[in-house]
Amino acid sequence: MSVVVRLDRLLANMGYGSRREVQQMVRAGQIRLDGTAVTVADMKLAAAPDLRERMTVRGQKLDPPPGVVLMLHKPLGVTCSHKDAGPLVYSLLPARWRSREPAISTIGRLDKETSGLLLLTDDGDLLHRIISPKRHVPKRYLATLARPLDGTEVARFAAGTLMLEGDDKPVAPAVLEPLSPTTAYLTVTEGRYHQVRRMFAAVGNHVDALHRDRIGSLALPDDLAPGAYGLLGEGEVVAIFSAPDAPGDPGPAAVESN
Ligand code: URA
């Protein structure tokens, strides 16, 4: 259900400027709703997803209203942090989106040197539902290894007894699908720090490259290039919480790309 808000507050919180600046934009006829210039800056309206199709600001389609969920193809070398020194994933989004309130944040993190499917949202409840350990949302990684698998890893990862250095509890059972002697998919349901790299380290191997291609049954679309992002619709958000049908199933791929 969407919240009813004042137009000037809504657009200010979406990063379009201060409320006073939004009021000036209204006076200048720069905000249109259903094709007609808005004249009342404090008019009340529902901050519903369809506003994106109905409203323009300075002739441009409105940014996604609050409740946004994004899928980003995280490239190597960018950090999932709001304040690190290096390049941040947020720099891949339009500059205005960095001033939004509530802020758009990553749902969990990928290491700087991990690429692939990263979700972002301004919806705190959704964020917590996805990262909650109780939900067991499966995340699939393609790992490229320094040494060939020795054949014991599938059972060791599935056992639920593997201890990672520095932890006091074994990792939950995880599914390893070898693809070649040095590449494999690993599906985990927890989100421990450097989990995949540490799991392979625990069995005497080393991860040379890591890429996440799936969360739940939501797959990273082949045509979403590194650094590109798309808005998720309701169907894709539901897919996050549904288990993939079978290994190798591509899952839903339709996103509104930017
Ligand atoms: N496990 C890792 O080791 N790194 C990631 O980025 C994600 C999972």
Side-chain angles (χ1 to χ4, degrees):
M1 208 182 58
S2 38
V3 212
V4 173
V5 281
R6 284 170 52 142
L7 173 71
D8 52 358
R9 184 185 296 272
L10 173 70
L11 294 192
N13 287 348
M14 286 171 66
Y16 282 98
S18 64
R19 268 162 67 185
R20 184 180 290 261
E21 285 164 342
V22 173
Q23 287 157 9
Q24 280 162 2
M25 287 157 71
V26 168
R27 280 197 293 277
Q30 293 173 338
I31 300 173
R32 299 179 81 84
L33 181 63
D34 298 327
T36 306
V38 172
T39 51
V40 183
D42 64 358
M43 71 178 282
K44 299 243 174 40
L45 76 181
D50 72 338
L51 213 48
R52 185 164 161 75
E53 310 306 325
R54 297 175 53 208
M55 185 170 279
T56 57
V57 179
R58 294 190 175 126
Q60 303 290 312
K61 189 172 168 177
L62 185 73
D63 290 343
V68 48
V69 188
L70 300 173
M71 162 195 277
L72 172 78
H73 185 161
K74 179 193 172 295
L76 297 174
V78 298
T79 308
C80 295
S81 156
H82 278 289
K83 50 179 190 281
D84 261 29
L88 309 180
V89 286
Y90 302 103
S91 68
L92 299 167
L93 303 179
R96 182 169 52 237
W97 296 16
R98 280 171 250 152
S99 319
R100 287 173 66 115
E101 188 56 50
I104 295 177
S105 299
T106 66
I107 302 180
R109 290 178 174 210
L110 289 176
D111 302 337
K112 188 172 182 182
E113 294 314 327
T114 301
S115 59
L117 174 55
L118 183 68
L119 299 174
L120 299 100
T121 189
D122 59 359
D123 178 341
D125 288 345
L126 177 70
L127 188 150
H128 287 112
R129 276 196 292 141
I130 296 175
I131 62 173
S132 163
K134 290 190 202 122
R135 291 267 174 174
H136 305 293
V137 173
K139 285 147 291 221
R140 189 172 82 169
Y141 296 86
L142 174 64
T144 306
L145 304 167
R147 290 177 274 286
L149 294 160
D150 66 16
T152 64
E153 297 89 346
V154 171
R156 292 176 75 186
F157 287 169
T161 53
L162 187 75
M163 289 298 295
L164 303 186
E165 201 179 316
D167 287 1
D168 54 7
K169 264 199 345 221
V171 278
V175 178
L176 184 72
E177 300 168 63
L179 301 170
S180 79
T182 55
T183 56
Y185 284 129
L186 178 60
T187 302
V188 302
T189 56
E190 297 169 293
R192 298 194 195 187
Y193 179 69
H194 288 174
Q195 179 164 346
V196 173
R197 294 176 202 275
R198 289 164 69 221
M199 286 177 71
F200 280 105
V203 296
N205 213 321
H206 176 82
V207 172
D208 276 345
L210 194 59
H211 176 83
R212 181 161 71 190
D213 74 339
R214 192 187 283 220
I215 299 176
S217 58
L218 182 70
L220 183 68
D222 289 340
D223 58 359
L224 194 66
Y229 62 89
L231 287 176
L232 293 197
E234 249 174 64
E236 286 85 37
V237 174
V238 168
I240 297 168
F241 296 102
S242 62
D245 292 342
D249 172 68
V255 289
E256 181 190 343
S257 287
N258 285 266

